[in-house]
């Protein structure tokens, strides 16, 4: 089947705007992860879902960041009142279950101007 | 908390030669996995190789092999017969396997350039 898909691939937002980033995991994958990757750096964990339950959101940098996965499949990462420091690539990954290999999507490159 | 260190920011290798990428990590866990991921300029992260900490035998995948030294907390990647398509950023990553939330902890990455 298809791999992990993300949309949009590129997003330019003016400072203060709200954005929504979508992730479609591999069908049947229970676990879903969001990572933030700054330019030239390794990805950093943001949040984790097991089915529809958000079990860990310790990596979200501020309360402007919000993620959901209401039906245990598609997930949306929302950033309110975007700031320049939010500029990064946002990666989504899914895995069959905990402790299994994670498959990554192509990422969404967010640029806040 | 776990940390992963990749101290070499970039490396270059001639096509067909062998190159080794270094990684060290720090953890108090006894059960975990270690990974090397490749991220080409297109940015899709691809798994290269995986090592379970409980296995003494080093993992091998075609031209890719690792040197896993658990006591030294070292996990290097050897790429044999380098190809132009190996040009990419390479990330070492740690995965705890006890408890829920198997989030990956990544190093900063190394940029590998294969010269023709």
């Amino acid at each position: 089947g298809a791999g992990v898909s993300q949309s949009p691939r590129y997003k330019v937002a003016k400072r203060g705007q709200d954005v929504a980033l979508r992730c479609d995991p591999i069908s049947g994958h229970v676990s879903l992860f969001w990572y933030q990757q700054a330019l030239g750096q390794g990805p950093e964990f943001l949040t984790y879902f097991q089915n529809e339950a958000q079990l860990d959101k310790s990596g979200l940098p501020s309360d402007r960041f919000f993620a959901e996965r209401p039906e245990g499949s598609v997930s949306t990462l929302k950033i309110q009142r975007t700031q320049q420091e939010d500029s990064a690539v946002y990666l989504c990954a899914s895995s069959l279950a905990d402790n299994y290999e994670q498959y990554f999507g192509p990422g969404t490159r967010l640029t806040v101007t | 908390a776990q940390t992963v260190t990749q101290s070499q920011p970039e490396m270059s290798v001639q096509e067909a030669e062998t190159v080794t990428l270094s990684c060290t990590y720090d953890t108090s866990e006894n059960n975990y996995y270690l990974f090397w991921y490749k991220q080409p300029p297109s940015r899709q992260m691809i798994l290269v190789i995986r090592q379970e900490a409980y296995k003494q035998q080093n993992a091998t995948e075609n031209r890719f092999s690792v040197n896993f030294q658990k006591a030294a907390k070292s996990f290097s990647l050897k790429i044999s017969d380098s190809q132009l398509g190996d040009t990419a950023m390479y990330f070492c990553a740690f995965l705890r396997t006890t408890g829920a939330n198997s989030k990956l902890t990544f190093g900063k990455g190394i940029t590998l350039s294969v010269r023709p």
Side-chain angles (χ1 to χ4, degrees):
Chain A
V4 178
S5 62
Q6 293 185 246
S7 61
R9 291 292 312 277
Y10 302 90
K11 177 69 179 179
V12 179
K14 291 188 177 177
R15 193 173 63 176
Q17 283 184 333
D18 297 349
V19 298
L21 313 180
R22 176 187 169 107
C23 172
D24 280 271
I26 293 172
S27 178
H29 278 197
V30 168
S31 300
L32 185 145
F33 303 81
W34 284 98
Y35 295 88
Q36 181 189 58
Q37 186 176 21
L39 187 65
Q41 301 294 314
E44 293 195 355
F45 170 79
L46 292 176
T47 188
Y48 156 69
F49 290 86
Q50 191 176 81
N51 295 307
E52 69 278 5
Q54 187 175 20
L55 299 186
D56 188 341
K57 52 183 181 180
S58 62
L60 296 177
S62 78
D63 59 8
R64 296 186 295 103
F65 286 70
F66 171 77
E68 60 183 5
R69 193 186 185 197
E71 297 177 359
S73 178
V74 171
S75 176
T76 303
L77 177 67
K78 297 179 179 178
I79 309 173
Q80 297 177 325
R81 304 181 304 281
T82 52
Q83 304 294 317
Q84 276 196 312
E85 62 262 27
D86 300 335
S87 295
V89 175
Y90 291 85
L91 297 171
C92 176
S94 71
S95 68
L96 198 58
D98 270 353
N99 306 327
Y100 278 70
E101 175 183 339
Q102 293 182 25
Y103 294 84
F104 283 82
T108 294
R109 180 185 294 277
L110 172 65
T111 303
V112 181
T113 61
Chain B
Q2 288 70 230
T3 60
V4 177
T5 302
Q6 294 179 254
S7 56
Q8 308 155 304
E10 50 186 72
M11 289 190 74
S12 179
V13 65
Q14 194 76 32
E15 193 177 7
E17 293 190 345
T18 296
V19 64
T20 298
L21 311 182
S22 302
C23 173
T24 58
Y25 60 95
D26 191 23
T27 184
S28 58
E29 302 282 341
N30 195 44
N31 298 313
Y32 51 88
Y33 295 158
L34 294 164
F35 303 88
W36 279 97
Y37 279 89
K38 171 185 177 180
Q39 191 175 44
S42 67
R43 303 202 75 84
Q44 185 99 30
M45 192 83 75
I46 302 164
L47 179 66
V48 174
I49 198 165
R50 149 184 171 151
Q51 174 79 44
E52 291 87 342
Y54 65 86
K55 288 187 178 178
Q56 293 188 345
Q57 187 172 7
N58 288 324
T60 300
E61 287 287 343
N62 300 314
R63 299 182 295 108
F64 299 89
S65 62
V66 299
N67 182 3
F68 173 49
Q69 303 288 328
K70 190 172 183 180
K73 294 181 181 168
S74 170
F75 182 62
S76 61
L77 174 70
K78 185 171 83 171
I79 306 175
S80 304
D81 186 26
S82 297
Q83 301 177 359
L84 296 178
D86 296 333
T87 292
M89 277 201 81
Y90 286 81
F91 293 97
C92 178
F94 175 100
L95 176 67
R96 188 184 72 174
T97 57
T98 51
N101 187 1
S102 45
K103 65 182 179 185
L104 288 164
T105 301
F106 287 88
K108 287 188 174 182
I110 176 171
T111 301
L112 176 67
S113 301
V114 180
R115 305 185 306 272

